[in-house]
Amino acid sequence: MDMDLLSSRLANGTSRRNALKRLGLGAVGLAGLNLLAKRTEAATSAAAVGSLSSTDIAVLQFALNLEYLEAQYYSYGVTGTGIEASLLTGSGEAGGVRIKANPKVTFTNPDIRDYAAEIAADERLHVFYLRNVLNFFGVQPVAQPAINLLESFNQLARAAGIGRTFDPFANEANFILGAFIFEDVGVTAYRGAAALIENPDVLSGAAGLLGTEAYHASLARVTISAILGDPAIAIAQKISDLRDTVDGNSTGPVSVGQLPDDDQGLTDSRGNSNIVPTNGNGLVFGRSTRQVLNILYFVPDAHSGGFFMRGLNGPIN
């Protein structure tokens, strides 16, 4: 499919954009990050009590690896640079980000630009928050592992059947489709981890993270559906199909009414809108850590590859 077709859709997005504004989807820039960071640090120190089990630590470190990926993706796309080096240190093998030169996206639609900036701020704070929680309990956070935001997208594009190459930083349409790859996976990862967390304050924080990621995922899905239109919807479906193929069958308990085709695109079998992917009970489904890794590495049962060329840092890999 010709990716250039997506850009032409943006020129006709004004009326749809106004409709989205009526939903209350406002914008938060990057200027207030320092204040937000201080509030987050204070809230973390005040709320966290008790102790962390080895399982809690593993879940938090696993989540931190994922948040590094998302934070770097949005930061490079919105600002042209990654998040600050002070948030990337820790245990394990530290790595950089493999990415094209000048990755800053040229946004022509002001709403999409504002949405991307808001999510970039959130994702950076997620890294900050998880590191603070671990530090509070005397656990050294894992360092950012090596992240591939270059060849990985080309590999994914070929596997999904959307072309030989895919540059998520080429334009805003591609950027939102790239975000679609991550966001749904993050939501299902937090849902899958919820049953494993023992510390109630950590569980509460994870619920907050899940909620934020769910807002992000829905925003990406609405933007693709309402602004980018049919070509992007078709590409999103191919990405969804690939995730469903690669993640494998759940190794944990299956909820009553769980759909056999877990991952879902933006329309159902009858062509109706499907902004919120849920199971038969209307709940967001969860993925096991192995299923999440299968998607991130693009290969079932692998320990590296895809977005993490040398694997993740921490006990889960």
Side-chain angles (χ1 to χ4, degrees):
M1 181 171 292
D2 186 358
M3 300 298 298
D4 292 335
L5 289 176
L6 297 179
S7 297
S8 65
R9 292 277 176 166
L10 301 174
N12 299 319
T14 302
S15 61
R16 288 171 178 165
R17 184 179 69 221
N18 291 336
L20 289 176
K21 281 186 174 179
R22 289 196 293 272
L23 296 176
L25 299 176
V28 173
L30 296 173
L33 274 180
N34 289 333
L35 177 59
L36 288 172
K38 291 178 181 178
R39 290 177 179 174
T40 302
E41 183 175 19
T44 300
S45 298
V49 295
S51 60
L52 292 183
S53 68
S54 60
T55 301
D56 290 341
I57 294 172
V59 169
L60 289 169
Q61 300 283 37
F62 182 71
L64 181 56
N65 278 277
L66 271 59
E67 295 294 351
Y68 281 137
L69 174 63
E70 290 190 297
Q72 294 288 33
Y73 177 79
Y74 283 104
S75 181
Y76 274 106
V78 171
T79 70
T81 60
I83 62 176
E84 58 265 49
S86 62
L87 293 179
L88 307 179
T89 61
S91 62
E93 183 181 1
V97 178
R98 185 167 176 78
I99 194 169
K100 76 172 191 178
N102 304 315
K104 185 176 180 180
V105 177
T106 300
F107 292 97
T108 60
N109 183 302
D111 285 335
I112 296 179
R113 178 198 62 215
D114 290 346
Y115 300 159
E118 180 176 359
I119 296 175
D122 289 342
E123 298 297 357
R124 183 264 185 190
L125 284 174
H126 287 176
V127 171
F128 185 91
Y129 172 78
L130 288 167
R131 291 176 63 89
N132 269 353
V133 171
L134 288 161
N135 281 324
F136 180 86
F137 285 103
V139 179
Q140 184 180 32
V142 293
Q144 175 191 275
I147 293 174
N148 189 337
L149 294 177
L150 190 61
E151 293 90 355
S152 57
F153 284 100
N154 297 332
Q155 181 184 353
L156 185 146
R158 291 190 293 270
I162 59 177
R164 292 190 56 79
T165 62
F166 180 76
D167 179 3
F169 305 103
N171 54 61
E172 58 195 1
N174 283 20
F175 188 70
I176 295 301
L177 283 166
F180 173 78
I181 296 169
F182 302 130
E183 293 296 354
D184 284 350
V185 177
V187 173
T188 58
Y190 280 115
R191 170 65 200 280
L196 305 176
I197 299 173
E198 299 175 26
N199 183 292
D201 292 288
V202 173
L203 179 59
S204 177
L209 289 167
L210 186 154
T212 303
E213 296 295 350
Y215 274 115
H216 294 171
S218 289
L219 184 52
R221 293 171 76 94
V222 168
T223 301
I224 294 171
S225 181
I227 298 179
L228 303 184
D230 292 341
I233 292 173
I235 292 173
Q237 182 62 57
K238 291 184 177 182
I239 293 171
S240 173
D241 291 342
L242 178 64
R243 289 189 308 220
D244 214 12
T245 299
V246 172
D247 69 359
N249 294 325
S250 174
T251 57
V254 177
S255 301
V256 175
Q258 181 82 37
L259 299 178
D261 181 18
D262 289 338
D263 206 298
Q264 302 160 37
L266 300 174
T267 57
D268 62 19
S269 59
R270 296 184 295 274
N272 297 321
S273 174
N274 186 45
I275 297 302
V276 185
T278 59
N279 65 14
N281 295 320
L283 306 177
V284 171
F285 69 92
R287 284 188 170 99
S288 67
T289 53
R290 184 65 258 173
Q291 288 179 298
V292 173
L293 289 172
N294 289 346
I295 295 174
L296 296 176
Y297 296 151
F298 303 167
V299 179
D301 300 320
H303 295 280
S304 63
F307 294 116
F308 295 97
M309 40 198 166
R310 294 198 293 270
L312 272 62
N313 282 327
I316 298 177
N317 199 350

